[in-house]
Amino acid sequence: MATVQKQMQKPFNAVHGFMEEKQKVCVWMMHDNTIRIEGTIVGYDEFMNFVLEDATEVNTKTKQSEHVGKILLKGDNVGLVHAIGV
C-alpha cells in the first residue's frame, strides 16, 4: 500500500496562484471575526498587503454585504486567505 504525503504550500505560492488564475478569494480579518472581504487579488507584497479588485465586505453575523470596489488590505489585518468556489 503506497502512502501519499501532502506537502504544505508556501503562502506566497498560494497567493500568487490565486492572483495568476484571477480566482475570487475570501479574506478573514484578524481583529474582527465577523467581517470577511471577498474579491480578486490584483497585487500583493512581501508584507502580505493585498490589493483586491471588485471587493465586497461581508458581515457573517448580519449576513449583509457592501460592495467596496478596489481596496488595499494591510497584512497586519489579514488572518486567512482562501479561494472561493473551487
Side-chain angles (χ1 to χ4, degrees), residues 34-76:
T34 62
I35 300 295
R36 307 282 190 266
I37 308 292
E38 298 178 355
T40 306
I41 299 171
V42 293
Y44 67 95
D45 65 12
E46 67 271 16
F47 304 108
M48 296 302 268
N49 297 317
F50 293 98
V51 177
L52 294 181
E53 186 174 69
D54 195 27
T56 303
E57 180 179 299
V58 179
N59 186 313
T60 59
K61 199 173 208 176
T62 64
K63 306 293 185 217
Q64 292 181 329
S65 63
E66 180 181 353
H67 183 76
V68 291
K70 186 181 262 188
I71 62 169
L72 169 68
L73 289 177
K74 297 257 315 159
D76 296 349

Side-chain angles (χ1 to χ4, degrees), residues 5-21 23 44 48 80-83 86:
Q5 276 189 318
K6 289 189 176 185
Q7 187 173 5
M8 184 182 291
Q9 188 176 21
K10 294 180 181 177
F12 280 109
N13 292 344
V15 168
H16 189 74
F18 296 151
M19 187 177 76
E20 287 290 310
E21 296 171 12
Q23 196 164 30
Y44 67 95
M48 296 302 268
L80 176 80
V81 179
H82 67 87
V86 176

